[in-house]
């Protein structure tokens, strides 16, 4: 059983999020997604997400390609999460390239190309200006 783990906020879900989750799932037999908590997002990005952590977890767990979700409370716990979930591979978008190489002692680390021309930040900006 090849277990793939990935992480993200997945706020205002868009096709770039769905594509990376589908591509991650295709690399193994089971996809486990760590969804950033509201507090972690505030620490990372200086703002609370548009959708609450409860709603983001609900949305991600409803996707066909996702087998399991959990809350990512802290970036520092990533190694613990990977061990707890017996990850065969950590998959992240290439905006994080090199940043998680330290986990190569726990599992394979794979960076996939981001989907161009779409981001939550841009969606928020377009709506703000509408
Ligand atoms: N992503 C993508 N293409 C886009 C936008 C996002 O492939 N156009 C990918 C990102 O590379 C990431 C995932 O979708 O792998 C989730 O993106 P975010 O919600 O922006 O995740 P982020 O807030 O960067 O959180 O511990 C790591 C963090 O939790 C990652």
């Amino acid at each position: 059983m090849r277990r793939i783990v990935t992480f993200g906020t997945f706020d205002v879900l868009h096709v770039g999020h769905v594509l990376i989750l589908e591509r991650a799932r295709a690399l193994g037999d089971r996809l486990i997604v760590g969804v950033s908590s509201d507090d972690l997002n505030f620490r990372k990005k200086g703002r609370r997400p548009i959708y609450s952590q409860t709603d983001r977890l609900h949305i991600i767990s409803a996707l066909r390609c996702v087998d399991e979700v959990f809350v990512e409370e802290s970036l520092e716990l990533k190694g613990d999460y990977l061990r707890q979930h017996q990850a065969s591979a950590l998959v992240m978008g290439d905006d994080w390239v090199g940043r998680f190489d330290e986990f190569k002692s726990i599992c394979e680390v794979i960076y996939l190309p981001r989907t161009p021309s779409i981001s939550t930040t841009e969606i928020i900006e377009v709506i703000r200006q509408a």
Side-chain angles (χ1 to χ4, degrees):
M1 164 82 69
R2 193 168 147 80
R3 300 162 68 89
I4 309 295
V5 175
T6 191
F7 295 89
T9 309
F10 304 104
D11 191 25
V12 189
L13 192 75
H14 59 66
V15 72
H17 294 143
V18 175
L19 284 170
I20 200 162
L21 292 171
E22 288 177 343
R23 286 181 293 157
R25 177 63 177 75
L27 294 173
D29 306 301
R30 193 167 171 80
L31 178 62
I32 302 156
V33 184
V35 177
S36 300
S37 70
D38 289 340
D39 286 348
L40 172 56
N41 201 258
F42 191 79
R43 293 200 297 276
K44 274 194 307 193
K45 300 187 180 169
R47 64 168 178 81
R48 297 194 81 74
I50 305 284
Y51 295 164
S52 70
Q53 120 189 10
T54 309
D55 287 356
R56 290 181 290 110
L57 280 155
H58 192 155
I59 291 166
I60 296 301
S61 65
L63 296 175
R64 197 165 35 207
C65 58
V66 174
D67 297 289
E68 193 180 330
V69 294
F70 67 93
V71 180
E72 180 191 27
E73 301 278 4
S74 160
L75 293 178
E76 285 69 43
L77 291 174
K78 209 166 244 97
D80 293 344
Y81 294 134
L82 292 171
R83 277 185 284 264
Q84 269 165 30
H85 291 283
Q86 298 173 296
S88 313
L90 166 64
V91 171
M92 291 299 299
D94 62 5
D95 44 328
W96 291 92
V97 78
R99 304 268 293 279
F100 298 128
D101 286 357
E102 63 185 288
F103 302 117
K104 285 182 178 169
S105 56
I106 302 175
C107 63
E108 205 179 324
V109 177
I110 301 168
Y111 303 100
L112 295 179
R114 270 172 73 94
T115 300
S117 314
I118 186 150
S119 74
T120 300
T121 311
E122 278 173 48
I123 293 169
I124 293 171
E125 202 46 45
V126 168
I127 294 170
R128 203 193 297 274
Q129 287 172 10

